Amino acid sequence: MIPQAVLLALGALVGTATAAAVPKVAVSPRDFLNPGQLRCLWTEQDHADLGCLTSLGEWTTNEAECGTFVGSWNSNTTFFLSSPDSGSCGLDGSFFKCGRDGVKPFNFGTWGREGPVPGRDILRAGEYATFASDSANAPPASGDPPLDIHIYMGIEPGKWVFLGWKDL
């Protein structure tokens, strides 16, 4: 079974999703707004934790490289995300990045705790909540360098993930 967020993302690619499909969910006060990590949760089966994002917004399985993130309200349903170590987080095209190459703040939202991973807030960028790497070795092994991550397009050979929050 394909998760709802993946279907919405695929529908948007072929023009069948609408703005009405984007949930109007306020951010939980404890999630995204306090220091935390962005965990890479597999979209399949038990939503296994497949690593985290570094402070530059790259996918790693080396726990020592996990970045710290914090959000700040932009509206009652969206927030800006940043890494205290590297700066603003946003999308460069479809790639998730933080503090690199003049990354501009992006209006992120959440699917809320009733979203694609029950009990976990999941980061979304507009209608999109599923991310992937172009590497067939995604997730990277703990000794491998971190991978760039981008909005899932349906052609990536590795595993796809939701970006879930973990309070620190």
Side-chain angles (χ1 to χ4, degrees):
M1 183 172 161
I2 299 174
Q4 177 186 15
V6 173
L7 293 174
L8 285 173
L10 291 173
L13 290 174
V14 295
T16 59
T18 66
V22 177
K24 305 292 187 220
V25 179
V27 180
S28 169
R30 66 179 181 235
D31 291 348
F32 295 104
L33 301 179
N34 295 314
Q37 293 178 341
L38 287 172
R39 303 301 303 184
C40 298
L41 306 175
W42 193 20
T43 58
E44 299 295 322
Q45 299 173 358
D46 62 355
H47 305 294
D49 189 320
L50 301 177
C52 61
L53 295 189
T54 69
S55 63
L56 294 175
E58 298 168 316
W59 188 358
T60 185
T61 53
N62 181 343
E63 290 295 315
E65 294 182 8
C66 292
T68 299
F69 299 89
V70 65
S72 61
W73 286 103
N74 180 43
S75 74
N76 63 345
T77 60
T78 62
F79 53 95
F80 294 123
L81 192 62
S82 65
S83 166
D85 294 330
S86 59
S88 296
C89 298
L91 295 178
D92 182 7
S94 65
F95 283 86
F96 186 98
K97 295 188 177 190
C98 298
R100 297 187 281 175
D101 305 321
V103 173
K104 294 184 176 129
F106 186 85
N107 291 321
F108 289 103
T110 179
W111 293 99
R113 293 183 169 262
E114 302 301 319
V117 180
R120 297 285 296 264
D121 265 345
I122 299 299
L123 186 77
R124 68 174 174 79
E127 296 177 359
Y128 304 98
T130 309
F131 290 82
S133 173
D134 289 326
S135 173
N137 296 328
S142 64
D144 290 346
L147 298 171
D148 282 334
I149 193 166
H150 59 84
I151 293 172
Y152 171 75
M153 300 298 287
I155 57 173
E156 294 82 3
K159 293 181 178 171
W160 335 319
V161 294
F162 297 118
L163 298 179
W165 190 253
K166 177 185 175 187
D167 281 324
L168 292 179

